[in-house]
Amino acid sequence: MLNGIPINFYIMLSAVLFIIGVVGVMARRNAIIIFMCIELMLNAVNLLLVAFSTLHNDASGQVFVFFIMAVAAAEVAVGLAILSMVYRNFKTIDIDLLSRLKN
Amino acid sequence: MLGYTITQWLFGILSFLAIMFALMVVFTRNPVNSVLYLVLTFFCIAGHYLLLNAQFLAVVHIVVYAGAIMVLFLFIIMLMNLNADTEPRKHIATRLIAGTIGGMLLFVMVGALKGSEQLQLVHGGSSQIGLVKNLGKVLFSEFLFPFEIASVLLLAALVGAIMIGKRDTNINSKETTN
């Protein structure tokens, strides 16, 4: 059965998910939540890449999504290590408090 | 069913759930609940991948994101003892500005897409490109070098995370000797 969904719907869905991630990054103070919103943005882009890969019947898009997942995993590992070190030194991960960079 | 195929119904339901769960990620106060809603969002996105006939990516997405990355997040949150809503709210003006900027961005994107009335249908049902066999062939022929680079990147991230996360005993011992 053919997948009769216009590509515009996928673009809209990805745009909405991406913007939810952007709003989350701007509106929250917890650094871990901000990380999670960045993951949400990455996933919105991944979804659009897969949709276009299926549209053009080209496997390169899906391979690219695979690489994005690898990079995201590396980024999360290093980022959470940094956050845990920051928490050990400052006892907080509130970015409004951390933005002073001193004390 | 009301003139829609079952694929379209599935797309609608999965999109609705994904957007709802994504909103809950941003608006829930408790970080643990936020992580769990993000896991649900990832499952909805994996459903979208299945709908697009990208089976390999759907499985990898669930294993990597819902299985590994989210466990890491939960572990860190538990480690920092943040499982109560301890986060103070941002100033109301900041949150209003964030909402306005997001709304304007959405408005611009929808407006830009509104003009292009090319409703190309995504044909996923008959394609075989999402299967492991096909993706493996492309990955190990066309993208062999980036694949190796990705392995080096993961190794570097592993070493970096361990080096950063390690308690720095060297500095402490120096301080005590001084």
Side-chain angles (χ1 to χ4, degrees), chain B residues 71-112:
Chain B
V71 170
L72 210 59
F73 272 109
L74 265 185
F75 187 69
I76 291 289
I77 285 176
M78 297 295 183
L79 204 68
M80 294 180 184
N81 210 5
L82 290 173
N83 36 3
D85 16 330
T86 49
E87 178 190 0
R89 282 178 183 274
K90 269 206 176 195
H91 196 257
I92 181 77
T94 317
R95 280 185 288 151
L96 272 182
I97 289 170
T100 315
I101 290 174
M104 274 166 22
L105 198 56
L106 185 66
F107 185 74
V108 168
M109 282 202 178
V110 170

Side-chain angles (χ1 to χ4, degrees), chain A residues 1 3-7 10-11 13 19 26 28-30 39 43 46 54-55 62-63 72 87-88 93-94, chain B residues 7-8 11 26 28 42 49 51-52 61 65 80 87-90 106 113 120-122 124-125 130 167:
Chain A
M1 191 184 66
N3 192 355
I5 298 162
I7 189 70
Y10 279 105
I11 300 176
L13 174 65
I19 285 160
M26 287 191 286
R28 294 299 296 259
R29 292 177 70 167
N30 191 334
E39 292 298 309
N43 273 284
N46 278 354
T54 310
L55 176 71
Q62 301 195 7
V63 175
Y87 184 76
R88 205 157 56 213
I93 49 164
D94 188 332
Chain B
T7 321
Q8 286 163 334
F11 175 82
V26 176
T28 314
F42 286 159
Y49 288 165
L51 216 59
L52 286 165
H61 189 263
Y65 276 106
M80 294 180 184
E87 178 190 0
R89 282 178 183 274
K90 269 206 176 195
L106 185 66
L113 292 169
Q120 291 171 292
L121 295 185
V122 178
R167 190 176 290 276

Side-chain angles (χ1 to χ4, degrees), chain A residues 53-71:
Chain A
S53 145
T54 310
L55 176 71
H56 293 297
N57 215 6
D58 186 355
S60 305
Q62 301 195 7
V63 175
F64 212 86
V65 170
F66 186 71
F67 286 129
I68 291 177
M69 280 181 187
V71 173

Side-chain angles (χ1 to χ4, degrees), chain B residues 1-176:
Chain B
M1 284 184 289
L2 299 177
Y4 295 113
T5 62
I6 189 126
T7 321
Q8 286 163 334
W9 274 106
L10 278 175
F11 175 82
I13 293 168
L14 280 174
S15 307
F16 177 76
L17 284 178
I19 290 171
M20 280 299 128
F21 289 141
L23 282 174
M24 291 301 284
V25 171
V26 176
F27 291 118
T28 314
R29 309 279 303 145
N30 191 332
V32 177
N33 287 350
S34 208
V35 171
L36 296 179
Y37 280 122
L38 193 59
V39 171
L40 289 175
T41 313
F42 286 159
F43 272 107
C44 291
I45 291 176
H48 274 297
Y49 288 165
L50 280 182
L51 216 59
L52 286 165
N53 254 27
Q55 295 95 340
F56 173 67
L57 276 184
V59 173
V60 167
H61 189 263
I62 286 179
V63 168
V64 171
Y65 276 106
I69 291 183
M70 286 301 114
V71 170
L72 210 59
F73 272 109
L74 265 185
F75 187 69
I76 291 289
I77 285 176
M78 297 295 183
L79 204 68
M80 294 180 184
N81 210 5
L82 290 173
N83 36 3
D85 16 330
T86 49
E87 178 190 0
R89 282 178 183 274
K90 269 206 176 195
H91 196 257
I92 181 77
T94 317
R95 280 185 288 151
L96 272 182
I97 289 170
T100 315
I101 290 174
M104 274 166 22
L105 198 56
L106 185 66
F107 185 74
V108 168
M109 282 202 178
V110 170
L113 292 169
K114 196 76 178 163
S116 66
E117 277 297 326
Q118 317 155 346
L119 288 177
Q120 291 171 292
L121 295 185
V122 178
H123 298 298
S126 55
S127 81
Q128 301 287 314
I129 57 165
L131 299 179
V132 184
K133 187 180 165 191
N134 216 322
L135 271 186
K137 270 183 191 158
V138 177
L139 195 60
F140 284 106
S141 58
E142 232 180 297
F143 291 92
L144 183 61
F145 186 62
F147 185 71
E148 299 296 333
I149 296 291
S151 73
V152 175
L153 172 76
L154 283 175
L155 179 68
L158 193 74
V159 175
I162 292 173
M163 282 303 292
I164 291 169
K166 197 176 64 167
R167 190 176 290 276
D168 208 343
T169 50
N170 222 352
I171 294 172
N172 289 342
S173 63
K174 264 183 201 164
E175 278 171 357
T176 49

